PDB file of all heavy atoms in Angstrom:
ATOM      1  N   MET D   1     121.473 137.433  99.682  1.00 35.00           N
ATOM      2  CA  MET D   1     120.384 137.651 100.615  1.00 35.00           C
ATOM      3  C   MET D   1     120.026 136.406 101.356  1.00 35.00           C
ATOM      4  O   MET D   1     119.134 136.391 102.150  1.00 35.00           O
ATOM      5  CB  MET D   1     119.194 138.100  99.800  1.00 35.00           C
ATOM      6  CG  MET D   1     118.147 138.933 100.419  1.00 35.00           C
ATOM      7  SD  MET D   1     118.070 139.097 102.119  1.00 35.00           S
ATOM      8  CE  MET D   1     117.471 137.532 102.609  1.00 35.00           C
ATOM      9  N   ARG D   2     120.772 135.323 101.069  1.00 37.00           N
ATOM     10  CA  ARG D   2     120.441 134.114 101.765  1.00 37.00           C
ATOM     11  C   ARG D   2     120.765 134.248 103.237  1.00 37.00           C
ATOM     12  O   ARG D   2     120.734 133.309 103.990  1.00 37.00           O
ATOM     13  CB  ARG D   2     121.232 132.955 101.185  1.00 37.00           C
ATOM     14  CG  ARG D   2     122.565 133.354 100.690  1.00 37.00           C
ATOM     15  CD  ARG D   2     123.162 132.211  99.936  1.00 37.00           C
ATOM     16  NE  ARG D   2     122.174 131.748  98.976  1.00 37.00           N
ATOM     17  CZ  ARG D   2     122.174 130.530  98.492  1.00 37.00           C
ATOM     18  NH1 ARG D   2     123.065 129.674  98.892  1.00 37.00           N
ATOM     19  NH2 ARG D   2     121.275 130.170  97.631  1.00 37.00           N
ATOM     20  N   VAL D   6     120.363 132.149 107.657  1.00 36.00           N
ATOM     21  CA  VAL D   6     121.690 131.805 108.105  1.00 36.00           C
ATOM     22  C   VAL D   6     121.890 132.361 109.490  1.00 36.00           C
ATOM     23  O   VAL D   6     122.417 131.725 110.382  1.00 36.00           O
ATOM     24  CB  VAL D   6     122.724 132.410 107.160  1.00 36.00           C
ATOM     25  CG1 VAL D   6     124.098 132.253 107.748  1.00 36.00           C
ATOM     26  CG2 VAL D   6     122.641 131.743 105.826  1.00 36.00           C
ATOM     27  N   VAL D   7     121.398 133.579 109.639  1.00 33.00           N
ATOM     28  CA  VAL D   7     121.518 134.249 110.906  1.00 33.00           C
ATOM     29  C   VAL D   7     120.835 133.426 111.963  1.00 33.00           C
ATOM     30  O   VAL D   7     121.217 133.410 113.106  1.00 33.00           O
ATOM     31  CB  VAL D   7     120.839 135.598 110.794  1.00 33.00           C
ATOM     32  CG1 VAL D   7     120.686 136.214 112.156  1.00 33.00           C
ATOM     33  CG2 VAL D   7     121.643 136.485 109.910  1.00 33.00           C
ATOM     34  N   LEU D   8     119.782 132.759 111.574  1.00 31.00           N
ATOM     35  CA  LEU D   8     118.922 132.140 112.558  1.00 31.00           C
ATOM     36  C   LEU D   8     119.400 130.767 112.950  1.00 31.00           C
ATOM     37  O   LEU D   8     118.984 130.228 113.927  1.00 31.00           O
ATOM     38  CB  LEU D   8     117.522 132.052 111.993  1.00 31.00           C
ATOM     39  CG  LEU D   8     117.097 133.420 111.506  1.00 31.00           C
ATOM     40  CD1 LEU D   8     115.783 133.348 110.786  1.00 31.00           C
ATOM     41  CD2 LEU D   8     117.008 134.374 112.662  1.00 31.00           C
ATOM     42  N   ALA D   9     120.230 130.170 112.168  1.00 30.00           N
ATOM     43  CA  ALA D   9     120.557 128.818 112.529  1.00 30.00           C
ATOM     44  C   ALA D   9     121.750 128.291 111.793  1.00 30.00           C
ATOM     45  O   ALA D   9     122.515 129.032 111.199  1.00 30.00           O
ATOM     46  CB  ALA D   9     119.371 127.959 112.226  1.00 30.00           C
ATOM     47  N   LEU D  10     121.869 126.997 111.823  1.00 31.00           N
ATOM     48  CA  LEU D  10     123.020 126.359 111.241  1.00 31.00           C
ATOM     49  C   LEU D  10     122.893 126.290 109.744  1.00 31.00           C
ATOM     50  O   LEU D  10     121.853 125.969 109.217  1.00 31.00           O
ATOM     51  CB  LEU D  10     123.092 124.936 111.776  1.00 31.00           C
ATOM     52  CG  LEU D  10     123.505 124.878 113.215  1.00 31.00           C
ATOM     53  CD1 LEU D  10     123.106 123.552 113.798  1.00 31.00           C
ATOM     54  CD2 LEU D  10     124.994 125.070 113.316  1.00 31.00           C
ATOM     55  N   LEU D  19     132.363 122.712  91.129  1.00 77.00           N
ATOM     56  CA  LEU D  19     133.024 122.079  89.993  1.00 77.00           C
ATOM     57  C   LEU D  19     134.539 122.031  90.214  1.00 77.00           C
ATOM     58  O   LEU D  19     135.158 123.027  90.570  1.00 77.00           O
ATOM     59  CB  LEU D  19     132.711 122.888  88.738  1.00 77.00           C
ATOM     60  CG  LEU D  19     133.268 122.365  87.438  1.00 77.00           C
ATOM     61  CD1 LEU D  19     132.501 121.132  87.009  1.00 77.00           C
ATOM     62  CD2 LEU D  19     133.186 123.440  86.380  1.00 77.00           C
ATOM     63  N   ARG D  42     118.957 119.721  89.938  1.00 92.00           N
ATOM     64  CA  ARG D  42     119.079 119.890  91.370  1.00 92.00           C
ATOM     65  C   ARG D  42     119.921 118.781  91.971  1.00 92.00           C
ATOM     66  O   ARG D  42     119.833 117.619  91.560  1.00 92.00           O
ATOM     67  CB  ARG D  42     117.687 119.838  92.004  1.00 92.00           C
ATOM     68  CG  ARG D  42     117.726 119.950  93.505  1.00 92.00           C
ATOM     69  CD  ARG D  42     116.332 119.953  94.076  1.00 92.00           C
ATOM     70  NE  ARG D  42     116.397 120.078  95.518  1.00 92.00           N
ATOM     71  CZ  ARG D  42     115.432 120.605  96.247  1.00 92.00           C
ATOM     72  NH1 ARG D  42     114.350 121.056  95.661  1.00 92.00           N
ATOM     73  NH2 ARG D  42     115.546 120.695  97.543  1.00 92.00           N
ATOM     74  N   GLN D  47     119.672 121.435  99.517  1.00 77.00           N
ATOM     75  CA  GLN D  47     118.477 122.247  99.623  1.00 77.00           C
ATOM     76  C   GLN D  47     118.498 123.284  98.513  1.00 77.00           C
ATOM     77  O   GLN D  47     119.166 124.286  98.615  1.00 77.00           O
ATOM     78  CB  GLN D  47     118.427 122.954 100.976  1.00 77.00           C
ATOM     79  CG  GLN D  47     118.921 122.121 102.130  1.00 77.00           C
ATOM     80  CD  GLN D  47     118.002 120.966 102.406  1.00 77.00           C
ATOM     81  OE1 GLN D  47     116.847 121.011 102.008  1.00 77.00           O
ATOM     82  NE2 GLN D  47     118.486 119.947 103.066  1.00 77.00           N
ATOM     83  N   ASN D  48     117.739 123.041  97.473  1.00 79.00           N
ATOM     84  CA  ASN D  48     117.607 124.021  96.394  1.00 79.00           C
ATOM     85  C   ASN D  48     118.928 124.445  95.779  1.00 79.00           C
ATOM     86  O   ASN D  48     119.077 125.582  95.392  1.00 79.00           O
ATOM     87  CB  ASN D  48     116.907 125.286  96.899  1.00 79.00           C
ATOM     88  CG  ASN D  48     115.512 125.000  97.336  1.00 79.00           C
ATOM     89  OD1 ASN D  48     114.876 124.098  96.799  1.00 79.00           O
ATOM     90  ND2 ASN D  48     115.024 125.740  98.299  1.00 79.00           N
ATOM     91  N   PHE D  90     111.637 115.962  90.729  1.00 92.00           N
ATOM     92  CA  PHE D  90     112.342 116.665  91.799  1.00 92.00           C
ATOM     93  C   PHE D  90     113.724 117.138  91.368  1.00 92.00           C
ATOM     94  O   PHE D  90     114.219 118.165  91.817  1.00 92.00           O
ATOM     95  CB  PHE D  90     112.465 115.709  92.983  1.00 92.00           C
ATOM     96  CG  PHE D  90     113.088 116.309  94.200  1.00 92.00           C
ATOM     97  CD1 PHE D  90     112.366 117.178  94.995  1.00 92.00           C
ATOM     98  CD2 PHE D  90     114.392 116.002  94.561  1.00 92.00           C
ATOM     99  CE1 PHE D  90     112.937 117.725  96.131  1.00 92.00           C
ATOM    100  CE2 PHE D  90     114.965 116.553  95.692  1.00 92.00           C
ATOM    101  CZ  PHE D  90     114.230 117.412  96.469  1.00 92.00           C
ATOM    102  N   LEU D  93     115.248 121.752  88.257  1.00 93.00           N
ATOM    103  CA  LEU D  93     114.999 123.041  88.918  1.00 93.00           C
ATOM    104  C   LEU D  93     113.958 123.845  88.141  1.00 93.00           C
ATOM    105  O   LEU D  93     113.398 124.793  88.652  1.00 93.00           O
ATOM    106  CB  LEU D  93     116.296 123.833  89.041  1.00 93.00           C
ATOM    107  CG  LEU D  93     117.203 123.352  90.165  1.00 93.00           C
ATOM    108  CD1 LEU D  93     118.569 123.997  90.074  1.00 93.00           C
ATOM    109  CD2 LEU D  93     116.589 123.621  91.529  1.00 93.00           C
ATOM    110  N   GLY D 100      99.989 118.798  86.787  1.00 89.00           N
ATOM    111  CA  GLY D 100     100.281 119.143  88.166  1.00 89.00           C
ATOM    112  C   GLY D 100     100.948 120.497  88.331  1.00 89.00           C
ATOM    113  O   GLY D 100     100.935 121.074  89.419  1.00 89.00           O
ATOM    114  N   GLN D 126      84.164 153.592  87.043  1.00 81.00           N
ATOM    115  CA  GLN D 126      84.426 155.009  87.261  1.00 81.00           C
ATOM    116  C   GLN D 126      83.743 155.851  86.186  1.00 81.00           C
ATOM    117  O   GLN D 126      83.165 156.892  86.475  1.00 81.00           O
ATOM    118  CB  GLN D 126      85.937 155.250  87.210  1.00 81.00           C
ATOM    119  CG  GLN D 126      86.426 155.930  88.434  1.00 81.00           C
ATOM    120  CD  GLN D 126      87.843 156.421  88.285  1.00 81.00           C
ATOM    121  OE1 GLN D 126      88.353 156.633  87.181  1.00 81.00           O
ATOM    122  NE2 GLN D 126      88.470 156.631  89.399  1.00 81.00           N
ATOM    123  N   ARG D 146      84.972 169.063  87.883  1.00 61.00           N
ATOM    124  CA  ARG D 146      86.402 169.320  87.798  1.00 61.00           C
ATOM    125  C   ARG D 146      87.074 168.392  86.803  1.00 61.00           C
ATOM    126  O   ARG D 146      87.894 168.769  85.995  1.00 61.00           O
ATOM    127  CB  ARG D 146      87.040 169.117  89.175  1.00 61.00           C
ATOM    128  CG  ARG D 146      87.681 170.384  89.700  1.00 61.00           C
ATOM    129  CD  ARG D 146      88.159 170.170  91.125  1.00 61.00           C
ATOM    130  NE  ARG D 146      87.032 169.852  91.998  1.00 61.00           N
ATOM    131  CZ  ARG D 146      87.159 169.195  93.162  1.00 61.00           C
ATOM    132  NH1 ARG D 146      88.331 168.785  93.545  1.00 61.00           N
ATOM    133  NH2 ARG D 146      86.115 168.964  93.913  1.00 61.00           N
TER     134      ARG D 146
ATOM    135  N   GLY Z  90     122.516 136.877 116.080  1.00 83.00           N
ATOM    136  CA  GLY Z  90     122.935 135.849 115.124  1.00 83.00           C
ATOM    137  C   GLY Z  90     122.310 134.500 115.426  1.00 83.00           C
ATOM    138  O   GLY Z  90     122.830 133.474 115.023  1.00 83.00           O
ATOM    139  N   LEU Z 164     128.739 133.826 109.652  1.00 75.00           N
ATOM    140  CA  LEU Z 164     128.080 135.028 110.154  1.00 75.00           C
ATOM    141  C   LEU Z 164     129.078 135.995 110.764  1.00 75.00           C
ATOM    142  O   LEU Z 164     128.722 137.106 111.134  1.00 75.00           O
ATOM    143  CB  LEU Z 164     127.037 134.654 111.207  1.00 75.00           C
ATOM    144  CG  LEU Z 164     126.033 133.599 110.756  1.00 75.00           C
ATOM    145  CD1 LEU Z 164     124.963 133.419 111.808  1.00 75.00           C
ATOM    146  CD2 LEU Z 164     125.406 133.992 109.450  1.00 75.00           C
ATOM    147  N   GLY Z 225     122.436 141.764 102.193  1.00 89.00           N
ATOM    148  CA  GLY Z 225     122.443 140.303 102.233  1.00 89.00           C
ATOM    149  C   GLY Z 225     122.945 139.716 100.925  1.00 89.00           C
ATOM    150  O   GLY Z 225     123.716 138.753 100.903  1.00 89.00           O
ATOM    151  N   LEU Z 233     130.104 133.615  99.942  1.00 78.00           N
ATOM    152  CA  LEU Z 233     129.851 132.226  99.603  1.00 78.00           C
ATOM    153  C   LEU Z 233     130.797 131.717  98.529  1.00 78.00           C
ATOM    154  O   LEU Z 233     130.911 130.521  98.321  1.00 78.00           O
ATOM    155  CB  LEU Z 233     128.395 132.034  99.178  1.00 78.00           C
ATOM    156  CG  LEU Z 233     127.381 132.278 100.302  1.00 78.00           C
ATOM    157  CD1 LEU Z 233     125.975 132.007  99.824  1.00 78.00           C
ATOM    158  CD2 LEU Z 233     127.683 131.418 101.516  1.00 78.00           C
ATOM    159  N   VAL Z 293     110.681 131.052 107.537  1.00 81.00           N
ATOM    160  CA  VAL Z 293     112.092 130.948 107.880  1.00 81.00           C
ATOM    161  C   VAL Z 293     112.298 130.168 109.178  1.00 81.00           C
ATOM    162  O   VAL Z 293     113.252 129.419 109.309  1.00 81.00           O
ATOM    163  CB  VAL Z 293     112.693 132.364 107.997  1.00 81.00           C
ATOM    164  CG1 VAL Z 293     114.021 132.317 108.704  1.00 81.00           C
ATOM    165  CG2 VAL Z 293     112.835 132.975 106.632  1.00 81.00           C
ATOM    166  N   THR Z 299     112.290 123.648 102.553  1.00 67.00           N
ATOM    167  CA  THR Z 299     113.715 123.421 102.677  1.00 67.00           C
ATOM    168  C   THR Z 299     114.440 124.558 101.979  1.00 67.00           C
ATOM    169  O   THR Z 299     114.063 124.988 100.902  1.00 67.00           O
ATOM    170  CB  THR Z 299     114.116 122.095 102.038  1.00 67.00           C
ATOM    171  OG1 THR Z 299     113.684 122.108 100.691  1.00 67.00           O
ATOM    172  CG2 THR Z 299     113.492 120.943 102.760  1.00 67.00           C
ATOM    173  N   SER Z 300     115.442 125.033 102.652  1.00 62.00           N
ATOM    174  CA  SER Z 300     116.212 126.143 102.121  1.00 62.00           C
ATOM    175  C   SER Z 300     117.670 125.795 102.289  1.00 62.00           C
ATOM    176  O   SER Z 300     118.015 124.869 103.021  1.00 62.00           O
ATOM    177  CB  SER Z 300     115.851 127.398 102.913  1.00 62.00           C
ATOM    178  OG  SER Z 300     116.966 128.237 103.024  1.00 62.00           O
ATOM    179  N   HIS Z 302     119.579 127.260 103.922  1.00 52.00           N
ATOM    180  CA  HIS Z 302     119.827 127.459 105.333  1.00 52.00           C
ATOM    181  C   HIS Z 302     118.913 126.527 106.064  1.00 52.00           C
ATOM    182  O   HIS Z 302     117.803 126.882 106.387  1.00 52.00           O
ATOM    183  CB  HIS Z 302     119.520 128.875 105.733  1.00 52.00           C
ATOM    184  CG  HIS Z 302     119.657 129.791 104.578  1.00 52.00           C
ATOM    185  ND1 HIS Z 302     120.839 130.390 104.271  1.00 52.00           N
ATOM    186  CD2 HIS Z 302     118.805 130.144 103.633  1.00 52.00           C
ATOM    187  CE1 HIS Z 302     120.686 131.089 103.195  1.00 52.00           C
ATOM    188  NE2 HIS Z 302     119.468 130.962 102.783  1.00 52.00           N
ATOM    189  N   ALA Z 303     119.347 125.318 106.250  1.00 43.00           N
ATOM    190  CA  ALA Z 303     118.569 124.431 107.077  1.00 43.00           C
ATOM    191  C   ALA Z 303     118.837 124.897 108.484  1.00 43.00           C
ATOM    192  O   ALA Z 303     119.968 125.131 108.846  1.00 43.00           O
ATOM    193  CB  ALA Z 303     119.047 123.011 106.895  1.00 43.00           C
ATOM    194  N   PHE Z 304     117.809 125.094 109.262  1.00 50.00           N
ATOM    195  CA  PHE Z 304     118.106 125.549 110.611  1.00 50.00           C
ATOM    196  C   PHE Z 304     117.376 124.671 111.597  1.00 50.00           C
ATOM    197  O   PHE Z 304     116.455 123.941 111.250  1.00 50.00           O
ATOM    198  CB  PHE Z 304     117.713 126.998 110.805  1.00 50.00           C
ATOM    199  CG  PHE Z 304     116.513 127.393 110.035  1.00 50.00           C
ATOM    200  CD1 PHE Z 304     115.281 127.400 110.629  1.00 50.00           C
ATOM    201  CD2 PHE Z 304     116.620 127.727 108.697  1.00 50.00           C
ATOM    202  CE1 PHE Z 304     114.183 127.756 109.911  1.00 50.00           C
ATOM    203  CE2 PHE Z 304     115.515 128.083 107.977  1.00 50.00           C
ATOM    204  CZ  PHE Z 304     114.283 128.095 108.585  1.00 50.00           C
ATOM    205  N   PHE Z 342      89.727 159.422  87.883  1.00 87.00           N
ATOM    206  CA  PHE Z 342      90.841 159.729  86.988  1.00 87.00           C
ATOM    207  C   PHE Z 342      90.744 158.865  85.738  1.00 87.00           C
ATOM    208  O   PHE Z 342      90.108 157.807  85.734  1.00 87.00           O
ATOM    209  CB  PHE Z 342      92.186 159.537  87.680  1.00 87.00           C
ATOM    210  CG  PHE Z 342      92.387 158.185  88.291  1.00 87.00           C
ATOM    211  CD1 PHE Z 342      92.908 157.151  87.542  1.00 87.00           C
ATOM    212  CD2 PHE Z 342      92.061 157.947  89.623  1.00 87.00           C
ATOM    213  CE1 PHE Z 342      93.106 155.904  88.103  1.00 87.00           C
ATOM    214  CE2 PHE Z 342      92.255 156.700  90.186  1.00 87.00           C
ATOM    215  CZ  PHE Z 342      92.771 155.676  89.427  1.00 87.00           C
ATOM    216  N   TYR Z 371     104.909 126.520  95.885  1.00 94.00           N
ATOM    217  CA  TYR Z 371     104.338 125.466  95.053  1.00 94.00           C
ATOM    218  C   TYR Z 371     104.790 124.057  95.438  1.00 94.00           C
ATOM    219  O   TYR Z 371     103.968 123.139  95.456  1.00 94.00           O
ATOM    220  CB  TYR Z 371     104.619 125.716  93.563  1.00 94.00           C
ATOM    221  CG  TYR Z 371     103.574 125.076  92.703  1.00 94.00           C
ATOM    222  CD1 TYR Z 371     102.357 125.708  92.505  1.00 94.00           C
ATOM    223  CD2 TYR Z 371     103.764 123.819  92.132  1.00 94.00           C
ATOM    224  CE1 TYR Z 371     101.362 125.111  91.752  1.00 94.00           C
ATOM    225  CE2 TYR Z 371     102.773 123.221  91.380  1.00 94.00           C
ATOM    226  CZ  TYR Z 371     101.586 123.871  91.191  1.00 94.00           C
ATOM    227  OH  TYR Z 371     100.599 123.286  90.460  1.00 94.00           O
ATOM    228  N   SER Z 384     110.891 120.694  92.334  1.00 92.00           N
ATOM    229  CA  SER Z 384     111.800 121.756  92.740  1.00 92.00           C
ATOM    230  C   SER Z 384     111.479 122.961  91.879  1.00 92.00           C
ATOM    231  O   SER Z 384     111.335 122.831  90.668  1.00 92.00           O
ATOM    232  CB  SER Z 384     113.245 121.352  92.501  1.00 92.00           C
ATOM    233  OG  SER Z 384     113.498 120.118  93.120  1.00 92.00           O
ATOM    234  N   GLY Z 386     113.197 126.237  90.963  1.00 91.00           N
ATOM    235  CA  GLY Z 386     114.488 126.902  91.127  1.00 91.00           C
ATOM    236  C   GLY Z 386     114.627 128.117  90.247  1.00 91.00           C
ATOM    237  O   GLY Z 386     113.672 128.570  89.624  1.00 91.00           O
ATOM    238  N   ARG Z 612     139.635 129.355  91.254  1.00 90.00           N
ATOM    239  CA  ARG Z 612     138.399 129.730  90.605  1.00 90.00           C
ATOM    240  C   ARG Z 612     138.442 131.232  90.362  1.00 90.00           C
ATOM    241  O   ARG Z 612     138.572 131.997  91.316  1.00 90.00           O
ATOM    242  CB  ARG Z 612     137.277 129.463  91.584  1.00 90.00           C
ATOM    243  CG  ARG Z 612     136.064 128.796  91.071  1.00 90.00           C
ATOM    244  CD  ARG Z 612     135.317 128.255  92.267  1.00 90.00           C
ATOM    245  NE  ARG Z 612     135.823 126.927  92.522  1.00 90.00           N
ATOM    246  CZ  ARG Z 612     135.248 125.839  92.024  1.00 90.00           C
ATOM    247  NH1 ARG Z 612     134.142 125.935  91.345  1.00 90.00           N
ATOM    248  NH2 ARG Z 612     135.772 124.666  92.242  1.00 90.00           N
ATOM    249  N   ARG Z 653      90.523 166.968 100.873  1.00 41.00           N
ATOM    250  CA  ARG Z 653      91.229 166.468  99.715  1.00 41.00           C
ATOM    251  C   ARG Z 653      92.071 167.575  99.108  1.00 41.00           C
ATOM    252  O   ARG Z 653      91.537 168.582  98.661  1.00 41.00           O
ATOM    253  CB  ARG Z 653      90.230 165.966  98.685  1.00 41.00           C
ATOM    254  CG  ARG Z 653      90.815 165.009  97.701  1.00 41.00           C
ATOM    255  CD  ARG Z 653      89.715 164.409  96.865  1.00 41.00           C
ATOM    256  NE  ARG Z 653      88.925 165.434  96.221  1.00 41.00           N
ATOM    257  CZ  ARG Z 653      89.304 166.071  95.122  1.00 41.00           C
ATOM    258  NH1 ARG Z 653      90.434 165.777  94.569  1.00 41.00           N
ATOM    259  NH2 ARG Z 653      88.549 166.980  94.581  1.00 41.00           N
TER     260      ARG Z 653
END
Side-chain angles (χ1 to χ4, degrees):
Chain D
M1 206 346 287
R2 32 190 50 204
V6 170
V7 168
L8 307 173
L10 288 161
L19 182 73
R42 178 178 181 153
Q47 322 292 339
N48 297 330
F90 184 75
L93 283 169
Q126 235 192 22
R146 241 174 299 157
Chain Z
L164 307 186
L233 294 183
V293 165
T299 56
S300 147
H302 334 271
F304 34 97
F342 55 88
Y371 206 81
S384 307
R612 225 162 271 266
R653 201 171 55 79

